[in-house]
Amino acid sequence: MQRGHISGERYCGNYATRKVHDLTNEQQACNINEFVAAGEDIPFLSLEIAARAGYSYCEHCIAVI
């Protein structure tokens, strides 16, 4: 997995917090711009891949039923 190179993927992980975010439902509380600017973003093609990598879902942009 390559850090700091989000490129069109729907899901973006924050390496520091180990949370994955849905970029199609971004909320202000996600602070995505900050961790992307710091190079702490990790792109994921699916939530399943992120979960297998040990990332939990962001409570602001990913609804868990």
Side-chain angles (χ1 to χ4, degrees):
M1 248 175 272
Q2 196 169 21
R3 288 174 40 192
H5 297 287
I6 194 78
S7 179
E9 292 82 6
R10 177 175 177 176
Y11 302 103
C12 180
N14 179 333
Y15 184 77
T17 65
R18 305 292 285 183
K19 296 243 182 193
V20 63
H21 301 269
D22 182 347
L23 298 178
T24 67
N25 190 34
E26 179 180 351
Q27 304 297 310
Q28 185 175 358
C30 297
N31 297 315
I32 292 170
N33 290 337
E34 287 83 2
F35 70 82
V36 169
E40 293 296 321
D41 58 302
I42 299 175
F44 290 106
L45 294 175
S46 72
L47 289 175
E48 293 78 18
I49 294 170
R52 283 196 305 256
Y55 283 74
S56 59
Y57 299 163
C58 172
E59 61 275 8
H60 303 290
C61 62
I62 300 175
V64 179
I65 301 171

